[in-house]
Amino acid sequence: MKTYAGYEDVDLFAEGAQEHWYEAYPLLHEQAPVLRLPGEGLVPGTDGFVLSKYNDIERVVKDAERYTPTMSLAVDALIAEGSDNTDGFNLALQSLVTLRPNAELWRSHRQELTDPWVGPGARRHQEMITELVDELIDSWIEQPQIDFVAQFARPLPQRVTARVLGFPDADVEQLALWGTAQVMSFVYGKGHRNELNAQQMEQQNAELRGFAEYVRDQIQRKREHPADDMISFLIDVVYQPLQRQLTDSEIQGVVYFMVLGGLETTQYALAEQAQLLCETPGLFDTLKADPDKIRAFTEEVMRIRAPTQGLSTRITTQDELFQGVEVPAGSLLHLRWAAGNVDPERYECPYQIDLERKALGNHLTFSQGPRTCPGAGISRLEQQIAWQRLLPRLAAIEYAPGNTMSHQPGIMLGTDAVHLSIKPQR
């Protein structure tokens, strides 16, 4: 077991560790801002290192040449092997081999293929998202109690992602199951490398083979009947770096990442926002009286309670020094974004929501630099529209009886259920 600074009751990578984040991160900052994990590097004989300070993490994520992304290593391995395996995550990696194998093409991929839909271009979906938010609210507004996760936070991003891609509304439930399969390693994987056992990997691959077949069918359907959706766009677009249209397998890879990134972050953020509205005296009334503060609210909650707590995503290419700790070349870096987001050297009163805080969007929740989450734009839009529509419809919310605040295992801050007592605005 890897513990922080000798604090034996909190295991950074144990099942249910999310419940102890508020105890662990101050200890990391004060006593072990860089935590060594002996023998837990990417290859035998190397170590892993957990970085918890904001400036260290920022330095790493903004320099993809000095700190090589592990995904780039996986792409290089596929190129060297000449593999066309489309099981599990390789379905997505195959598209990276041709569409974005290097930093220059990574940037082009984002600007040409995803930004118009889920990045800066996400505003095109404002009316659609508003409609879906209103439909969900209408379905439970007269109920005295709701499970906010099951009845709002989870279905909203599922339905939005389906609409953006062009999947039929009737397929949303199945899409959600495939999304769960995609993140299986982050929920049930062991250690900071999120490793599944052989049985779990086979289960995941079997489920994702079904997803691959479904996406192939959807691509064919869109070729015959194009619409105003992302898959139709990907079929038609000419990718300028390659001066050609995308193949079906490349489109499948892009869609895989859209589903992977489009569901979980928004769900977890909305659930934590509801909790902090219940836990912070006066916050609900403040936002209700001044809706212009909703953006600040959503950014602050994403900072304080990052949906993804951390990932092991970078390899050092040379010997490094972090917080006085020597980190050899070839070491695997686990970037603990959630800890960086509450670093007291970066944020004054880091665990408090400050609606006047400067540079609100500079937290690490979506990472930073050239590998920033491409879906950050649409996730932010969903969260803001959600509360812009929820607050005028609600006179009050508070915790209902029966909340256990249990979380899924793994590195994502997924609350299983949030039971609320609500009072509609009359």
Side-chain angles (χ1 to χ4, degrees):
M1 183 174 78
K2 304 299 182 295
T3 58
Y4 341 110
Y7 191 77
E8 297 297 330
D9 294 332
V10 182
D11 181 352
L12 190 62
F13 305 108
E15 183 171 317
Q18 310 94 318
E19 300 169 17
H20 303 291
W21 65 272
Y22 51 87
E23 299 175 17
Y25 294 155
L27 288 164
L28 280 173
H29 292 146
E30 294 171 11
Q31 302 178 40
V34 178
L35 182 66
R36 187 181 193 125
L37 306 175
E40 294 196 19
L42 202 61
V43 297
T46 61
D47 298 335
F49 290 83
V50 180
L51 304 186
S52 64
K53 300 295 287 182
Y54 182 100
N55 288 341
D56 291 341
I57 299 170
E58 180 187 43
R59 163 182 151 192
V60 170
V61 296
K62 289 187 174 181
D63 192 341
E65 292 186 7
R66 184 167 178 170
Y67 306 99
T68 305
T70 53
M71 191 177 294
S72 295
L73 297 180
V75 170
D76 291 344
L78 283 176
I79 293 173
E81 295 170 3
S83 171
D84 61 356
N85 178 12
T86 56
D87 271 356
F89 194 50
N90 283 332
L91 172 70
L93 291 181
Q94 284 295 330
S95 73
L96 306 190
V97 170
T98 53
L99 297 183
R100 43 177 172 163
N102 55 50
E104 182 179 355
L105 286 178
W106 193 281
R107 183 166 50 251
S108 297
H109 180 284
R110 178 176 184 139
Q111 292 172 346
E112 296 187 28
L113 303 182
T114 60
D115 273 359
W117 291 87
V118 295
R123 285 284 170 188
R124 68 194 295 165
H125 308 301
Q126 183 159 350
E127 183 177 348
M128 176 267 288
I129 295 171
T130 302
E131 175 186 320
L132 291 175
V133 167
D134 287 344
E135 287 177 3
L136 287 169
I137 297 173
D138 289 342
S139 71
W140 49 254
I141 190 64
E142 297 299 330
Q143 299 175 16
Q145 294 185 7
I146 62 169
D147 175 358
F148 187 77
V149 173
Q151 294 177 257
F152 190 83
R154 184 180 297 131
L156 177 61
Q158 290 171 355
R159 297 182 187 186
V160 169
T161 300
R163 291 277 182 94
V164 169
L165 290 169
F167 294 154
D169 288 348
D171 296 345
V172 167
E173 187 173 339
Q174 180 59 59
L175 176 66
L177 295 176
W178 282 321
T180 299
Q182 285 179 318
V183 299
M184 182 183 291
S185 61
F186 303 129
V187 177
Y188 298 107
K190 298 301 182 182
H192 71 104
R193 288 172 292 185
N194 309 117
E195 295 176 317
L196 298 174
N197 60 39
Q199 182 179 0
Q200 290 170 322
M201 290 180 65
E202 178 51 39
Q203 177 187 347
Q204 182 187 51
N205 287 335
E207 294 181 17
L208 293 181
R209 279 192 290 271
F211 178 59
E213 293 171 3
Y214 174 81
V215 175
R216 279 196 295 269
D217 290 344
Q218 292 300 313
I219 292 171
Q220 182 58 40
R221 183 171 69 90
K222 294 298 181 182
R223 288 193 183 279
E224 297 170 359
H225 304 286
D228 183 19
D229 55 56
M230 189 173 180
I231 291 180
S232 298
F233 165 81
L234 293 171
I235 290 169
D236 188 59
V237 71
V238 174
Y239 187 45
Q240 291 304 313
L242 303 182
Q243 286 294 297
R244 64 169 176 80
Q245 292 177 307
L246 307 185
T247 67
D248 284 5
S249 62
E250 289 168 342
I251 295 172
Q252 282 182 272
V254 177
V255 171
Y256 184 103
F257 279 113
M258 289 302 98
V259 174
L260 179 63
L263 304 183
E264 310 298 327
T265 297
T266 304
Q267 173 189 327
Y268 303 153
L270 288 168
E272 295 298 330
Q273 287 155 12
Q275 292 174 63
L276 281 170
L277 281 173
C278 293
E279 296 168 9
T280 309
L283 182 58
F284 180 88
D285 292 336
T286 296
L287 296 177
K288 196 168 172 61
D290 188 355
D292 288 343
K293 295 186 182 297
I294 288 175
R295 175 184 171 271
F297 164 67
T298 58
E299 295 293 342
E300 276 286 86
V301 177
M302 283 193 287
R303 179 187 65 79
I304 295 171
R305 297 188 179 178
T308 300
Q309 298 282 285
L311 285 173
S312 296
T313 63
R314 297 296 177 101
I315 301 291
T316 56
T317 61
Q318 61 192 59
D319 293 346
E320 301 285 355
L321 191 68
F322 292 104
Q323 305 296 322
V325 176
E326 295 181 356
V327 177
S331 298
L332 179 59
L333 300 180
H334 178 87
L335 308 179
R336 203 69 178 181
W337 296 311
N341 280 345
V342 291
D343 182 350
E345 293 184 10
R346 173 71 183 191
Y347 297 104
E348 185 177 356
C349 301
Y351 296 99
Q352 294 181 12
I353 294 176
D354 181 355
L355 300 180
E356 305 299 328
R357 198 182 296 276
K358 296 180 180 178
L360 281 162
N362 284 351
H363 53 72
L364 298 164
T365 293
F366 293 111
S367 190
Q368 291 184 10
R371 300 294 180 106
T372 301
C373 175
I378 196 165
S379 180
R380 285 182 158 115
L381 186 63
E382 287 178 70
Q383 294 172 51
Q384 291 168 31
I385 291 175
W387 293 108
Q388 287 166 1
R389 306 301 290 182
L390 279 163
L391 288 166
R393 303 282 301 273
L394 295 170
I397 63 170
E398 61 183 10
Y399 283 136
N403 278 297
T404 63
M405 294 308 172
S406 62
H407 288 70
Q408 67 182 26
I411 50 81
M412 296 185 294
L413 194 62
T415 312
D416 294 326
V418 179
H419 299 288
L420 300 178
S421 294
I422 64 171
K423 182 184 295 185
Q425 185 72 54
R426 300 300 185 186

